[in-house]
Amino acid sequence: MSSAGRFLECKLLLTEGEALEFRQLSVRGTMFKRSLSLAVFACIVLALIFSAGAKADTVYVDGSYAFANGGYGIPPYGGTLNGQSAQFFCVDFSTPIYAGQSWQVNVTSLTGSNFSLTRLGNQTTYLEMAWLVTQMMSTTNQLQQAKDQYAIWSLTGGPNPYGTNSSMIAAALAAVQNGFTGAGWEILTPTGAAGQEFLFFVGVPEPGQLLLLLVGLGIVAIAAREKGNTAKATA
């Protein structure tokens, strides 16, 4: 018998069940490759999302502030972050700065888990500061804003001209314990000795970043659906 005949004979010896299993293996292989390709593409898109949202690390202060109280400028301070107009909230009383000064910073999300690059290294303390800043932002009363700011500065050795620091820090800690998360806030920590540490409100993502995020999530959803279809095909 010729080799062609032997090959044909072998094909005919497959049972119907074996032939079905062979087809299922082929389908599973195709679906797996497709799911793998989508997953890889999703990872690439998500990587682009995070790189697009990543900030450079240069702070510049132009010397402006909201108002003066007791010889100190009460934030927000004016300036730029990576060349873009920004407002900064000072949480560092111990380091003086001057108009026109710039420095490099490490950026730490207040909702993150690693605070090793910050000056205080304690998430709870920064959360208390951020909550006090939100109180400053919610009123137009300059005296109240000054009290809030002195309470923030008291955590880094600042004065207590109104005698309200302790009670305001207690209120801030209670707010944190009751669920204040600090979402949207970042800590800008100087990489060297020069420059103050600031809190900076990021706010909502830019529309372009939201679009990238939606695309990435859509691709992940498609990959998950393909995986589900593959599981059904093997059942």
Side-chain angles (χ1 to χ4, degrees), residues 101-182:
Q101 191 175 359
S102 65
W103 58 86
Q104 300 296 107
V105 296
N106 291 313
V107 180
T108 302
S109 171
L110 193 45
T111 57
S113 58
N114 185 353
F115 292 82
S116 62
L117 296 179
T118 65
R119 287 185 171 172
L120 301 179
N122 187 315
Q123 182 185 31
T124 298
T125 302
Y126 287 108
L127 285 170
E128 291 172 4
M129 291 172 166
W131 183 81
L132 286 167
V133 173
T134 65
Q135 303 310 294
M136 291 176 61
M137 297 169 65
S138 68
T139 180
T140 58
N141 185 307
Q142 289 190 347
L143 177 59
Q144 185 58 53
Q145 290 174 340
K147 290 179 179 180
D148 289 326
Q149 185 59 54
Y150 282 115
I152 293 170
W153 279 334
S154 73
L155 294 169
T156 55
N160 188 17
Y162 299 104
T164 55
N165 287 352
S166 295
S167 60
M168 300 189 75
I169 291 299
L173 178 58
V176 173
Q177 293 173 337
N178 288 327
F180 176 74
T181 65

Side-chain angles (χ1 to χ4, degrees), residues 2-226:
S2 67
S3 59
R6 286 197 299 271
F7 178 72
L8 180 59
E9 184 179 17
C10 289
K11 287 185 64 177
L12 292 174
L13 288 175
L14 290 175
T15 66
E16 182 178 350
E18 289 170 336
L20 177 59
E21 183 178 357
F22 179 79
R23 289 195 298 271
Q24 288 178 336
L25 285 172
S26 299
V27 170
R28 280 183 294 192
T30 301
M31 299 293 285
F32 175 77
K33 289 179 181 178
R34 185 180 302 172
S35 297
L36 182 61
S37 297
L38 286 170
V40 170
F41 186 57
C43 289
I44 293 172
V45 171
L46 290 175
L48 288 173
I49 292 170
F50 288 115
S51 64
K55 296 183 183 302
D57 53 3
T58 302
V59 161
Y60 167 80
V61 289
D62 60 18
S64 63
Y65 49 86
F67 60 93
N69 182 282
Y72 300 106
I74 303 299
Y77 298 158
T80 62
L81 177 61
N82 314 315
Q84 301 297 315
S85 180
Q87 290 187 323
F88 307 111
F89 294 88
C90 177
V91 296
D92 177 10
F93 185 80
S94 61
T95 309
I97 57 174
Y98 307 94
Q101 191 175 359
S102 65
W103 58 86
Q104 300 296 107
V105 296
N106 291 313
V107 180
T108 302
S109 171
L110 193 45
T111 57
S113 58
N114 185 353
F115 292 82
S116 62
L117 296 179
T118 65
R119 287 185 171 172
L120 301 179
N122 187 315
Q123 182 185 31
T124 298
T125 302
Y126 287 108
L127 285 170
E128 291 172 4
M129 291 172 166
W131 183 81
L132 286 167
V133 173
T134 65
Q135 303 310 294
M136 291 176 61
M137 297 169 65
S138 68
T139 180
T140 58
N141 185 307
Q142 289 190 347
L143 177 59
Q144 185 58 53
Q145 290 174 340
K147 290 179 179 180
D148 289 326
Q149 185 59 54
Y150 282 115
I152 293 170
W153 279 334
S154 73
L155 294 169
T156 55
N160 188 17
Y162 299 104
T164 55
N165 287 352
S166 295
S167 60
M168 300 189 75
I169 291 299
L173 178 58
V176 173
Q177 293 173 337
N178 288 327
F180 176 74
T181 65
W185 287 95
E186 290 179 340
I187 307 163
L188 307 181
T189 307
T191 58
Q196 288 179 343
E197 190 170 57
F198 291 149
L199 280 179
F200 174 71
F201 188 64
V202 183
V204 298
E206 294 295 327
Q209 295 179 23
L210 285 174
L211 179 60
L212 281 174
L213 179 60
L214 290 174
V215 170
L217 292 175
I219 292 172
V220 171
I222 293 172
R225 186 175 63 183
E226 293 287 355

